[in-house]
Amino acid sequence: MTTQEPGPGETAHDSDADDGETTDRARLIEEEHRAGLVFGSLASFVGDYLTQVVRPRLDDGSHVWCPYWWLHPESVVRLSSMWRAFEYLHHDPSLGMSNWWLHHADPHLARLLSPSGPFHACADGQHTDPPPLASEAVPPGVMDDPAFTLLPEDPFAM
């Protein structure tokens, strides 16, 4: 058995990944390419679409935006959700985009641009990291109730 040197952008650990995991990832990437993405990345979706279409008033304190949005974990998660929903819903020519605006973009943008949202500490185009929420270790036994566990037979388990 021969070993391969890691490819560009890979570490030795990456090239030793489980074949099933690699196959699953490759299948997901292939499905995304077949789906005909409008935007090939989150950065493209935000930079080429969202920031060009959404133009809230930013000079009166009613909305806040950080040009370094990718440094805010909540922003990345919400914008990723918006992008994926956009890519799925744009295929529906009748109600897809209306559904996307009403049920995805509007609620996420309301939170993202809110003065109490993830960009609240940023001002005048300057990024400031807000402190994370505090979280203490959960004492043993507190989460033993089945309501706090996903069992393998649970239809919502990943």
Side-chain angles (χ1 to χ4, degrees), residues 57-88:
R57 184 170 184 174
L58 298 173
D59 64 350
D60 66 351
S62 63
H63 298 91
V64 183
W65 175 256
C66 180
Y68 303 96
W69 57 266
W70 64 89
L71 295 175
H72 299 267
E74 181 181 351
S75 170
V76 171
V77 172
R78 287 181 177 277
L79 291 168
S80 293
S81 297
M82 288 173 58
W83 170 48
R84 291 185 176 279
F86 176 94
E87 294 295 348
Y88 180 81

Side-chain angles (χ1 to χ4, degrees), residues 64-68 71-72 119-129:
V64 183
W65 175 256
C66 180
Y68 303 96
L71 295 175
H72 299 267
F119 307 133
H120 74 272
C122 301
D124 301 322
Q126 299 298 314
H127 170 75
T128 304
D129 281 324

Side-chain angles (χ1 to χ4, degrees), residues 100-144:
W100 181 77
W101 280 105
L102 290 172
H103 300 289
H104 301 277
D106 288 346
H108 284 298
L109 288 170
R111 171 68 183 149
L112 286 169
L113 299 173
S114 166
S116 62
F119 307 133
H120 74 272
C122 301
D124 301 322
Q126 299 298 314
H127 170 75
T128 304
D129 281 324
L133 293 173
S135 179
E136 297 294 328
V138 178
V142 170
M143 301 299 249
D144 288 350

